[in-house]
Amino acid sequence: MRPSRYRGAGLLAVVVCAGCGGSDQSTLDPASRASSKIATLWWIMFAAGVVVVSVVSLLVLLVLLRRREKGVGRWMPGTAFVAVLGFGIPLAVLVGLFALTLSTIPATSPARATTSAPNALTVDVTGRQWFWDVEYPAAGVRTANEIHIPVGEPVELRARTADVIHSVWIPRLNRKIDMIPGRTNTLTLEANRAGDFRGQCAEFCGLQHAHMAFWVVAEPRARFERWLAAQARPAHVPSPGSETRGQQVLLGSACVYCHRIAGTNATGEVGPDLTHVASRRTLAAATIPNTRGYLAGWILDPQHVKPGNKMPATDLDGGQLQDLLDYLESLR
């Protein structure tokens, strides 16, 4: 029995510690007004919970001790004391927390962006199994798994789904918002400092739900404008040689039916837009880094990297693969 207890304790420790690594998705490391309000509410609830549990535990202990001293069934003194601490105070705490929760909700409301900045930047995010389609409609920009926003400015995020229910959540910037078929829900993002903030699908959506993440990059307005202008340009025209051969490999394959590259006959809508794929930091919805080696593995055997995703394996010889990599790495 003792080894089983040790194994159980070890498993519990692993589960507890699994949520303690890093602050990329920590609600308690806020980077916006909305997330600061949420974090404050969490700490107050935590403190109130500790107080209530401590008081109730103390009362239970007192009852057990007095029952042992006076005998079972005998009326014990201090009933009013027990009623106040066991019922009155917890009730007051719960009412107070409820009121505090109601006062926090306006800080996370999407209406704040439209009232404070009617011309706020709008970003459309569509959840798909299992990646994020990102569009800036005013600029005609489309990308994937990466959202850039200017620091200190409210951005309206319009959330939709192309298949099942998803939920977009950037813990350090705001609450989560569900993506429901046939509906458009909105959320306001307003980072108070520059940085990279990890987002995640927070609604189970199938086999690769855990590998459906993205990054929000908050940057100064000037840098954001440069990024947006670069993303609005057509795809890089390949140089003669390996890049041109790589483009021919891609355009002559079934890739054109799933992916889009602006300015070419690749107009697919199933997979992520590849027009500027080399400018992104990750592949496969933040599952692997965007490096040449990982890109090669993803092209040849995507099911090994992310089982169940909708991208099939690609049958290429060594020369074709290297040419294709040269072309894709030029798409910045």
Side-chain angles (χ1 to χ4, degrees):
M1 293 296 293
R2 185 170 298 176
S4 298
R5 289 199 299 268
Y6 290 155
R7 285 196 295 269
L11 179 59
L12 178 61
V14 170
V15 172
V16 171
C17 292
C20 300
S23 61
D24 289 337
Q25 287 185 236
S26 175
T27 307
L28 304 182
D29 185 20
S32 71
R33 177 177 178 271
S35 58
S36 294
K37 290 285 187 178
I38 294 172
T40 300
L41 177 62
W42 187 93
W43 280 114
I44 293 174
M45 285 187 165
F46 176 76
V50 169
V51 171
V52 170
V53 169
S54 300
V55 170
V56 172
S57 299
L58 177 61
L59 290 174
V60 170
L61 180 61
L62 289 174
V63 168
L64 291 176
L65 292 175
R66 291 199 176 195
R67 284 168 66 93
R68 177 176 298 179
E69 293 175 0
K70 303 296 184 179
V72 178
R74 182 170 177 174
W75 184 259
M76 297 178 296
T79 303
F81 174 78
V82 173
V84 170
L85 291 186
F87 178 76
I89 291 180
L91 178 62
V93 169
L94 291 175
V95 171
L97 291 177
F98 179 70
L100 184 60
T101 301
L102 292 181
S103 69
T104 302
I105 290 176
T108 67
S109 172
R112 183 170 171 269
T114 57
T115 56
S116 62
N119 297 320
L121 176 70
T122 298
V123 181
D124 292 337
V125 178
T126 303
R128 303 176 186 268
Q129 291 177 312
W130 286 276
F131 73 96
W132 307 91
D133 207 358
V134 180
E135 293 186 68
Y136 294 76
V141 168
R142 183 178 176 192
T143 182
N145 305 316
E146 202 167 287
I147 303 171
H148 287 241
I149 61 174
V151 175
E153 300 181 26
V155 176
E156 183 184 46
L157 188 150
R158 299 190 297 203
R160 305 182 180 93
T161 177
D163 37 55
V164 300
I165 295 177
H166 301 281
S167 186
V168 59
W169 187 31
I170 310 103
R172 298 178 64 190
L173 295 182
N174 209 329
R175 62 184 174 89
K176 74 182 184 74
I177 192 75
D178 289 338
M179 297 171 158
I180 302 171
R183 294 180 62 93
T184 298
N185 291 328
T186 59
L187 182 71
T188 299
L189 302 180
E190 185 175 354
N192 56 25
R193 62 177 182 268
D196 302 331
F197 309 107
R198 196 174 190 270
Q200 180 72 42
C201 180
E203 186 75 30
F204 181 74
C205 55
L207 182 63
Q208 287 298 326
H209 162 70
H211 290 153
M212 187 174 171
F214 61 97
W215 286 95
V216 175
V217 180
E219 53 198 353
R221 165 57 77 166
R223 185 180 301 174
F224 168 75
E225 293 287 357
R226 290 195 296 271
W227 175 86
L228 195 64
Q231 295 292 311
R233 291 196 293 264
H236 165 75
V237 177
S239 302
S242 62
E243 289 183 11
T244 298
R245 294 193 301 269
Q247 185 189 56
Q248 293 170 350
V249 170
L250 188 147
L251 298 181
S253 69
C255 299
V256 296
Y257 302 112
C258 294
H259 297 283
R260 171 181 175 270
I261 300 178
T264 72
N265 66 341
T267 56
E269 299 287 336
V270 178
D273 188 291
L274 300 181
T275 304
H276 300 290
V277 63
S279 67
R280 301 170 200 157
R281 64 188 64 196
T282 66
L283 300 168
T287 302
I288 54 177
N290 190 3
T291 62
R292 189 178 182 91
Y294 279 104
L295 178 59
W298 176 248
I299 292 171
L300 293 177
D301 191 4
Q303 296 304 316
H304 176 75
V305 177
K306 197 169 180 176
N309 81 88
K310 297 181 180 180
M311 180 172 169
T314 307
D315 185 17
L316 300 175
D317 61 37
Q320 290 175 318
L321 176 62
Q322 295 304 317
D323 290 341
L324 179 57
L325 291 174
D326 287 343
Y327 173 59
L328 291 176
E329 288 187 325
S330 73
L331 299 179
R332 295 191 173 275

